Amino acid sequence: MLKLLFVKVILMLKNGLYIISTPIGNLQDISPRALDILAEAPIIACEDTRVTKKLFSLLGLSLHKKFITYQDYNEEQLAQQLIDLINAGQIIALVSDAGAPLISDPGYKLVSKCREQNIYVTAVPGACAVITALQLSGLPTNRFLFAGFIPNKEKARADLFAELKDINSTLIFYETAPRLLKTLAQAEAVFGKRKISVIRELTKIYEEVKTGDFAKIQDYFMQNEPKGEFVFVVAPPEAQQFDIDSIRPLLSKKLQETSLKSAVKEISVQFGLNKNDVYALALELKK
């Protein structure tokens, strides 16, 4: 078992980049460490200065700082400018409007350039809609894939769902309220009878989790107008069940192409069958 050592580090910030997770709804989800760094850092890189300044006011943090707009459109250009400030001795905190920076938000190019130039980078963990939604969904959590925001256009949505449908993982998407019903209808055509979960307004007063089949969830939101911010979660595909006799023709063909040992191994892995059972059938076919 992994042994954890918990320590309280006295705040002594060195120049570098600090990636700070902010609340996704409930202000109390900000960590004491995040508050300390946001209070100390003289420069705040953020998506929207208005949103971040409002958050600072609500958290009782000083607004006497330099707030820099850092978004997709200026990330490439601004990254080096921020690194130059760090090299000049500055401390920069990177935040998103809500949740963990870099998760469907700009920032990875900046971190990549920092790594290339040996700039100190650390992250302060905190609220993340992807993880919180997965925890609440009731769907498998051992393997998952976050696919970001669902595209606006119908064809792009269909292409994305088709690309991901056979992946053996729980799928997680972000979606907006106005498009939710269209997305559910289109997703049903691809994912069929899989279980889904739609979670809205995470950590807020009207937090709501609906888990079930597509028909049940669609019916609910047709009667209750979708409002707020949504996370859409799809269960992985069910494993196909094969009995030993059903693979007889394929195993016979494999035995003609390769050795008995290789054929047994390939078929066992491909169909999730007991190796001894496949071996017995292979011997029978060989005779």
Side-chain angles (χ1 to χ4, degrees):
M1 180 181 288
L2 181 65
K3 191 172 182 180
L4 299 179
L5 177 64
F6 294 99
V7 295
K8 182 172 181 179
V9 180
I10 298 173
L11 188 67
M12 292 181 63
L13 298 184
K14 56 183 176 180
N15 58 303
L17 178 68
Y18 294 77
I19 304 167
I20 312 291
S21 292
T22 55
I24 55 177
N26 192 318
L27 282 176
Q28 290 180 301
D29 291 337
I30 189 82
S31 73
R33 181 180 168 211
L35 285 172
D36 286 345
I37 294 172
L38 291 176
E40 289 291 322
I43 300 174
I44 310 296
C46 53
E47 291 181 85
D48 187 326
T49 58
R50 294 165 300 178
V51 172
T52 301
K53 285 179 179 179
K54 181 179 179 181
L55 175 65
F56 270 55
S57 294
L58 291 170
L59 293 171
L61 295 169
S62 170
L63 295 177
H64 296 295
K65 298 174 181 292
K66 184 174 185 178
F67 292 85
I68 298 175
T69 301
Y70 188 82
Q71 295 183 338
D72 286 323
Y73 76 88
N74 69 352
E75 183 175 10
E76 193 74 49
Q77 169 195 349
L78 203 56
Q80 189 57 52
Q81 294 178 32
L82 295 178
I83 289 172
D84 291 342
L85 288 171
I86 293 170
N87 280 326
Q90 293 288 2
I91 295 162
I92 298 178
L94 174 67
V95 301
S96 65
D97 285 348
L102 283 75
I103 308 301
S104 269
D105 283 327
Y108 92 86
K109 292 177 182 176
L110 173 58
V111 174
S112 179
K113 283 182 179 291
C114 284
R115 294 295 178 207
E116 290 170 2
Q117 299 177 43
N118 295 316
I119 300 297
Y120 176 73
V121 181
T122 192
V124 179
C128 177
V130 175
I131 301 302
T132 307
L134 181 63
Q135 291 170 323
L136 293 175
S137 70
L139 301 183
T141 59
N142 57 318
R143 293 177 62 180
F144 64 92
L145 186 151
F146 173 55
F149 284 96
I150 295 173
N152 295 338
K153 301 291 178 66
E154 189 172 324
K155 184 181 184 307
R157 279 199 300 269
D159 289 344
L160 176 64
F161 293 154
E163 178 189 344
L164 301 177
K165 72 174 183 177
D166 294 323
I167 293 177
N168 185 26
S169 299
T170 296
L171 304 175
I172 308 173
F173 307 89
Y174 288 160
E175 186 52 296
T176 62
R179 292 202 307 263
L180 180 66
L181 286 170
K182 284 185 178 179
T183 291
L184 289 175
Q186 202 164 356
E188 182 180 19
V190 177
F191 298 117
K193 299 185 181 298
R194 292 196 210 176
K195 207 173 191 181
I196 62 168
S197 186
V198 174
I199 302 108
R200 74 180 191 95
E201 295 296 88
L202 281 165
T203 77
K204 301 174 186 174
I205 295 173
Y206 297 107
E207 177 181 279
E208 186 175 37
V209 181
K210 293 295 175 185
T211 300
D213 58 30
F214 276 97
K216 174 184 173 183
I217 306 302
Q218 285 174 288
D219 182 62
Y220 176 81
F221 283 108
M222 280 196 283
Q223 297 181 45
N224 299 271
E225 181 187 356
K227 293 179 180 178
E229 297 175 319
F230 285 81
V231 183
F232 172 41
V233 187
V234 181
E238 289 187 10
Q240 288 183 276
Q241 300 298 317
F242 297 93
D243 60 68
I244 196 70
D245 284 331
S246 68
I247 54 96
R248 186 182 289 267
L250 183 58
L251 180 57
S252 180
K253 186 172 182 295
K254 277 287 180 188
L255 288 168
Q256 295 172 28
E257 300 170 349
T258 186
S259 68
L260 185 144
K261 184 178 179 181
S262 296
V264 168
K265 183 178 180 181
E266 284 183 40
I267 296 297
S268 300
V269 171
Q270 183 177 350
F271 295 99
L273 294 169
N274 182 282
K275 195 173 181 181
N276 291 333
D277 292 341
V278 177
Y279 184 75
L281 178 58
L283 288 178
E284 179 189 326
L285 291 170
K286 273 285 190 183
K287 293 175 183 177

